[in-house]
Amino acid sequence: GENVGLHLPTLSVQEGDNSIINCAYSNSASDYFIWYKQESGKGPQFIIDIRSNMDKRQGQRVTVLLNKTVKHLSLQIAATQPGDSAVYFCAENIDDYKLSFGAGTTVTVRA
Amino acid sequence: DAGVIQSPRHEVTEMGQEVTLRCKLISGHNSLFWYRQTMMRGLELLIYFNNNVPIDDSGMPEDRFSAKMPNASFSTLKIQPSEPRDSAVYFCASSFAEQAQFFGPGTRLTVL
């Protein structure tokens, strides 16, 4: 499953499929980006980060891709599981320590 | 390792009462952030501290809100007097330098 743009805040994906969550960021000077996962009733949980000197970074079942030319960030989740159901936020640093968060994408995993 | 600790987890109070939210940073972190999350406005940064010094409080809604860091590992966010529109989930997060912020579990505040 894949969503495009900040205006489609939901993504439904079949268990076992790969998920792609997209994010457009605003500040061309941002040099640090983070993906967070927030489950119901919990705080945002760090998933993976990437600096602007890289265009790809991999973690456990997750990959973040950064395209600075079009100011686009994506999070790929391999073999999506029911526990991946959550709201996913991208964040960019906008000023020293400050982060600007996207609106969030709700991912629902279908059994 | 303990993550960011917040207390209380839930707070229900009446309009006009004082509310104090507490946060303990991750050991070794030197930056502290207070956020508010609502359905309408998402995650909003209220204030952040670096090395116990408030750096940017432009997100603090009004004078009813105040935040302190009495030491390097602890912070409070106070609302006095509280109003129903302050109802939200309040998160604190900590980081080391310009690395990723780690969030606490949040305090769900309801002002009646």
Side-chain angles (χ1 to χ4, degrees):
Chain A
E2 180 174 352
N3 79 322
V4 177
L6 293 174
H7 301 292
L8 295 176
T10 63
L11 176 65
S12 180
V13 60
Q14 185 69 39
E15 181 179 358
D17 287 353
N18 296 334
S19 302
I20 301 175
I21 307 166
N22 295 295
C23 179
Y25 64 92
S26 57
N27 187 351
S28 57
S30 295
D31 60 1
Y32 183 52
F33 305 87
I34 309 172
W35 280 101
Y36 288 92
K37 170 187 180 183
Q38 187 175 22
E39 297 175 90
S40 180
K42 297 184 179 180
Q45 177 189 0
F46 171 86
I47 301 174
I48 192 168
D49 57 1
I50 188 168
R51 296 203 177 267
S52 58
N53 60 351
M54 303 174 69
D55 53 20
K56 180 179 179 179
R57 190 162 187 230
Q58 290 184 291
Q60 187 176 13
R61 282 201 308 118
V62 294
T63 300
V64 56
L65 299 177
L66 174 63
N67 185 330
K68 294 180 287 294
T69 302
V70 295
K71 294 189 288 186
H72 183 267
L73 193 68
S74 68
L75 178 71
Q76 301 177 0
I77 305 173
T80 310
Q81 303 170 359
D84 295 327
S85 293
V87 179
Y88 290 80
F89 294 95
C90 63
E92 60 176 310
N93 80 315
I94 55 173
D95 179 21
D96 292 335
Y97 304 91
K98 291 175 68 172
L99 294 178
S100 174
F101 286 84
T105 297
T106 300
V107 173
T108 303
V109 181
R110 306 188 305 271
Chain B
D1 289 339
V4 173
I5 299 172
Q6 291 187 246
S7 65
R9 294 295 313 277
H10 302 273
E11 177 82 22
V12 180
T13 190
E14 293 188 346
M15 182 173 62
Q17 296 298 305
E18 176 179 296
V19 174
T20 300
L21 311 180
R22 296 173 176 81
C23 174
K24 185 177 187 298
L25 284 68
I26 293 173
S27 178
H29 283 190
N30 63 348
S31 294
L32 180 282
F33 306 81
W34 281 103
Y35 289 89
R36 177 171 66 177
Q37 187 177 42
T38 61
M39 290 293 292
M40 292 297 295
R41 301 170 72 96
L43 261 173
E44 301 175 274
L45 176 65
L46 301 178
I47 185 170
Y48 82 93
F49 295 82
N50 182 243
N51 294 323
N52 302 6
V53 176
I55 303 299
D56 185 344
D57 65 355
S58 59
M60 296 286 262
E62 48 199 271
D63 292 345
R64 297 185 297 106
F65 286 67
S66 62
K68 294 182 180 179
M69 272 197 82
N71 57 57
S73 61
F74 183 74
S75 177
T76 60
L77 177 68
K78 185 176 292 186
I79 308 172
Q80 167 63 18
S82 58
E83 296 182 2
R85 61 193 168 120
D86 302 330
S87 298
V89 182
Y90 290 81
F91 292 103
C92 75
S94 72
S95 71
F96 176 72
E98 295 180 33
Q99 298 179 20
Q101 295 177 23
F102 289 85
F103 284 75
T107 296
R108 181 173 294 278
L109 173 64
T110 303
V111 183
L112 303 174

